[in-house]
Amino acid sequence: MAEIALAGLLLCVAAGTGMTVLRLFKLNYSRWEYLALGTALGLGLFSYLILGLGMIGWLYSGAVWAIIGILFPLAAWGFLSYLKLDRFRFSILGKWERLGVGILVWCAFFNIFMALAPPFLADSLKYHLAAPKWYISLHQIQFVPVFPFNMPQNMEMIYTAGMLLHSDTVGLLVHYSLGILAALGILLLAREFLSLNTAIWAAVFFYVGIPFIPHAAQGVDLAPIFYSVWAFYAFIRWRKTERIAWLSLAGVLAGLCAGTKYTGIYTPLALFFLVVLAILKDRKTAGGNDSLAGRALMLFLFFGLLSGCPWYLKNWLVTGNPIYPILYPLLGGRGWNMSSYLEGIKRLNADMGLLGRSFFDYVISPLKLIFLQNRIFVRGGMGLLTLSFFPVLFLLGKRFIQRYSWLLIFSLPFYAVWVIFSQHGRFLLPLVALWSIPCAEAAFELIKKGGYLRVLSVLILLLGIGMGAVLAPVYASRFIPVVIGAESRDSFLSKTTMFYQDIQWMNNNLPAGSLVMSDFVNLYYLDRPSIWMNARNAAWIDYSRIETTEDVLKRGIELGITHIFVMGEPSIKEWDDLVAKELLKRLYYNPKGWAIFSISMGISLEVPVAVYSVQ
């Protein structure tokens, strides 16, 4: 398939270019380190080049091909140096190691079908893919007062490049590959402490044991997991080798993690805390060397800020707020308003406040997380393996504390920031991924003890890993028919995407120049420009200034609205705004001739339930 070939081309160009950059750090790498770290740096560089094209209005397929052509010699040079490294021999693996690798390959094979299927996940249709589609339609990254469109978007830039080259599937395949490279990072990180056998099974704990991973191909969540794992890996290599270049590399990777989404900031913040403590420890044990300590910290900060700042700098230049529209009362922000800010905070506390917001809630939150993890993580929670073996870790005694002391210290600020500012399970997954390593060791330690502990541990492993391995083809069976052509794209999307048939009706019937205002925001498949009506994600309408329906009509005329798309009474009630209800009544008599699409919640028909054309 063309999509697979183009995704492979992007990955090869990124990996080769990144490997060339890695040579500047003058470190010794294994083949696996070189490949994964090169991909991390290369994709980050490629994302920022696409951002640059967007800022100057050059979002055309020819411009993307030009970038690929420019980077190709660098990529070739990187792969030439890669071929000189020692090869890994699969024959050295024992039967249990081969079983673990086999399970990883099995699940990776079936997970790819989600990346190959037409996009249907809500967040992708809302902004991960919708934002690139918007940019491409304008050939430029322009400001719009929509919260998700102004978040850091390194992965979305890869989607933009893929869509310009061929289709959205190209970028989704690149994103899917980051899950595999994250599993490789878990394996190599575990190998720093444990046997090869345990390290391989730690990767299985992550890639197979965490239920969210098979569902993650369509989105951007694999990117912060990938960069977090490898940033922490680089930190550990610094501690082991005492080569300061590893710390600089950790800064680069942490910065790139911050460039994937706002919650990607958790990793550089936690890693900065870790680096400071490590430097203080070194000064104390080595008798103190302020110049060396200061140099190490400054290098980490310099490379972290350099690789992480582009999106925040862009926001500051365009909106006046580097983390737009967060902290709006303090930092302000172009095009936003207090009504949208308060609505967003209200929704945040409702959707992401299950653990509570008091100091006492924060203290007991780890316990509450265990009982509420299915609601917080949504798709399957943290997984049976993590839930079963995590409590055992603290029974392993002093040896465990010493071996995983840096992970423990890293976890404290990461978890603190997460529980205070988010409480959404997806944003905790980078930490859950890293804890796959000690959880795997705990499982093998219990097996060694024999008796009922051995039997219980084996049963949990069989259930946790077996369930993941069995569910992989079951879940993929939803996508295989459409991927191989046995099911039409429209048929698949009609079953998986809310209001897809209604959106297609609008594509076929609305005039080309229509501008749709909608309270339904998953509009990736709508081929007409649209404006979000709700206040919590967008600020097109400042409802704090709306007193009459005439005010809404006036604002709509200013925006050039031609049609309104609403999902019906259930959604209207969620607006919590009487003006919205009055608006629907008043628009019947609107002389501008708007049409109201009134859709019953959860029902998708070939045509809207009612189309009111007002003349």
Side-chain angles (χ1 to χ4, degrees):
M1 297 174 66
E3 294 91 343
I4 296 177
L6 286 170
L9 175 64
L10 283 182
L11 284 169
C12 287
V13 170
T17 304
M19 286 188 280
T20 299
V21 175
L22 277 177
R23 297 181 65 180
L24 301 176
F25 290 88
K26 298 180 179 180
L27 293 167
N28 295 320
Y29 311 98
S30 70
R31 277 202 169 197
W32 298 117
E33 289 173 336
Y34 208 33
L35 180 64
L37 291 170
T39 303
L41 297 187
L43 285 176
L45 175 61
F46 194 83
S47 296
Y48 288 140
L49 289 174
I50 300 300
L51 169 62
L53 290 181
M55 295 305 293
I56 62 175
W58 285 9
L59 284 181
Y60 297 90
S61 60
V64 177
W65 280 113
I67 288 179
I68 292 174
I70 292 170
L71 295 180
F72 193 83
L74 294 175
W77 191 20
F79 271 105
L80 286 175
S81 61
Y82 173 78
L83 294 175
K84 297 177 183 178
L85 300 177
D86 293 334
R87 296 182 180 181
F88 177 80
R89 292 177 299 167
F90 188 74
S91 60
I92 68 173
L93 297 180
K95 62 179 181 180
W96 294 112
E97 289 93 336
R98 293 191 183 199
L99 176 61
V101 172
I103 292 173
L104 287 170
V105 172
W106 169 269
C107 291
F109 170 76
F110 286 106
N111 288 350
I112 198 174
F113 286 100
M114 184 180 187
L116 290 169
F120 67 94
L121 288 186
D123 282 357
S124 292
L125 304 183
K126 180 178 177 181
Y127 55 95
H128 294 319
L129 294 171
K133 182 180 177 181
W134 176 279
Y135 303 149
I136 291 171
S137 70
L138 301 173
H139 303 293
Q140 186 174 9
I141 296 177
Q142 289 187 1
F143 168 78
V144 289
V146 176
F147 175 26
F149 282 39
N150 291 281
M151 294 192 294
Q153 295 181 336
N154 274 358
M155 199 63 235
E156 283 85 348
M157 292 299 97
I158 301 298
Y159 292 154
T160 301
M163 291 163 70
L164 284 168
L165 294 176
H166 188 275
S167 67
D168 45 34
T169 305
V170 176
L172 294 175
L173 286 169
V174 173
H175 181 249
Y176 152 83
S177 71
L178 298 187
I180 297 174
L181 292 175
L184 175 61
I186 293 293
L187 191 158
L188 294 182
L189 182 58
R191 192 70 182 91
E192 294 290 320
F193 309 105
L194 308 169
S195 67
L196 179 60
N197 178 59
T198 309
I200 290 175
W201 286 98
V204 175
F205 268 49
F206 158 68
Y207 195 74
V208 182
I210 298 178
F212 179 80
I213 300 302
H215 302 265
Q218 294 189 5
V220 300
D221 292 293
L222 293 176
I225 295 173
F226 167 68
Y227 281 110
S228 297
V229 167
W230 283 100
F232 189 77
Y233 177 84
F235 170 84
I236 293 299
R237 293 295 294 155
W238 169 57
R239 299 307 299 164
K240 285 210 165 190
T241 65
E242 298 183 351
R243 294 289 305 278
I244 201 170
W246 277 111
L247 182 60
S248 301
L249 187 55
V252 173
L253 296 168
L256 291 175
C257 185
T260 60
K261 58 197 317 182
Y262 280 139
T263 54
I265 296 176
Y266 299 173
T267 293
L269 288 177
L271 206 56
F272 173 75
F273 180 77
L274 197 60
V275 170
V276 170
L277 289 184
I279 291 173
L280 292 176
K281 177 178 179 291
D282 291 344
R283 289 183 69 244
K284 183 177 180 180
T285 55
N289 188 332
D290 291 338
S291 61
L292 185 60
R295 180 169 173 261
L297 185 60
M298 291 304 297
L299 282 173
F300 175 80
L301 286 173
F302 172 77
F303 283 105
L305 291 172
L306 181 66
S307 62
C309 74
W311 286 104
Y312 302 88
L313 180 61
K314 169 254 179 187
N315 273 354
W316 178 64
L317 293 174
V318 173
T319 72
N321 182 349
I323 52 175
Y324 180 92
I326 299 173
L327 298 180
Y328 173 77
L330 180 64
L331 301 176
R334 170 189 174 191
W336 211 246
N337 55 69
M338 187 58 69
S339 175
S340 293
Y341 175 78
L342 294 176
E343 184 66 25
I345 293 297
K346 176 183 174 182
R347 190 58 181 245
L348 177 69
N349 289 328
D351 292 350
M352 302 184 189
L354 291 175
L355 299 179
R357 295 292 182 186
S358 70
F359 178 77
F360 179 72
D361 288 326
Y362 296 150
V363 172
I364 66 170
S365 63
L367 183 61
K368 295 173 69 176
L369 179 62
I370 294 174
F371 294 101
L372 297 174
Q373 53 103 25
N374 276 318
R375 295 176 63 189
I376 291 172
F377 284 85
V378 183
R379 298 185 183 99
M382 291 183 287
L384 176 64
L385 300 178
T386 304
L387 286 174
S388 299
F389 294 113
F390 184 80
V392 180
L393 297 174
F394 301 94
L395 303 178
L396 298 180
K398 185 178 180 181
R399 182 185 58 174
F400 162 76
I401 299 296
Q402 291 176 337
R403 179 172 291 173
Y404 298 108
S405 57
W406 292 121
L407 179 56
L408 281 167
I409 297 170
F410 174 82
S411 301
L412 292 176
F414 192 107
Y415 182 82
V417 175
W418 174 82
V419 78
I420 292 172
F421 293 103
S422 173
Q423 298 186 17
H424 195 294
R426 284 187 294 123
F427 309 147
L428 191 63
L429 285 176
L431 197 58
V432 177
L434 289 170
W435 278 96
S436 298
I437 299 170
C439 284
E441 183 184 9
F444 281 92
E445 286 292 323
L446 291 177
I447 290 174
K448 290 178 183 178
K449 291 183 180 296
Y452 73 92
L453 289 177
R454 179 190 183 99
V455 174
L456 182 61
S457 299
V458 170
L459 287 175
I460 292 173
L461 286 173
L462 288 174
L463 185 59
I465 296 174
M467 186 165 51
V470 169
L471 289 179
V474 172
Y475 185 61
S477 65
R478 300 177 60 194
F479 316 121
I480 291 175
V482 69
V483 170
I484 65 176
E487 181 181 15
S488 71
R489 181 183 177 91
D490 284 344
S491 172
F492 172 81
L493 289 172
S494 296
K495 293 185 294 185
T496 58
T497 306
M498 287 184 65
F499 309 122
Y500 175 75
Q501 291 177 322
D502 304 299
I503 291 172
Q504 290 301 101
W505 187 93
M506 286 191 281
N507 289 336
N508 294 329
N509 290 275
L510 296 190
S514 301
L515 178 60
V516 180
M517 184 163 67
S518 173
D519 68 331
F520 177 64
V521 296
N522 301 347
L523 294 174
Y524 172 63
Y525 290 110
L526 179 63
D527 294 333
R528 302 290 185 273
S530 60
I531 287 174
W532 294 5
M533 202 169 186
N534 68 67
R536 63 181 177 272
N537 287 310
W540 296 103
I541 299 177
D542 184 354
Y543 284 100
S544 65
R545 298 176 179 239
I546 299 297
E547 296 182 359
T548 67
T549 52
E550 283 77 7
D551 295 332
V552 181
L553 297 175
K554 181 180 178 181
R555 179 57 178 155
I557 293 171
E558 291 173 356
L559 293 170
I561 299 298
T562 61
H563 298 80
I564 294 182
F565 177 57
V566 296
M567 293 189 295
E569 189 66 15
S571 179
I572 296 171
K573 289 179 179 177
E574 288 181 8
W575 291 348
D576 214 8
D577 194 301
L578 292 176
V579 173
K581 295 180 181 179
E582 290 298 320
L583 173 63
L584 296 180
K585 299 176 183 177
R586 180 59 185 253
L587 285 176
Y588 292 121
Y589 309 102
N590 172 30
K592 294 296 293 183
W594 291 348
I596 301 174
F597 292 80
S598 181
I599 310 293
S600 299
M601 178 66 74
I603 299 176
S604 187
L605 305 175
E606 291 186 3
V607 297
V609 173
V611 180
Y612 302 100
S613 186
V614 189
Q615 300 298 332

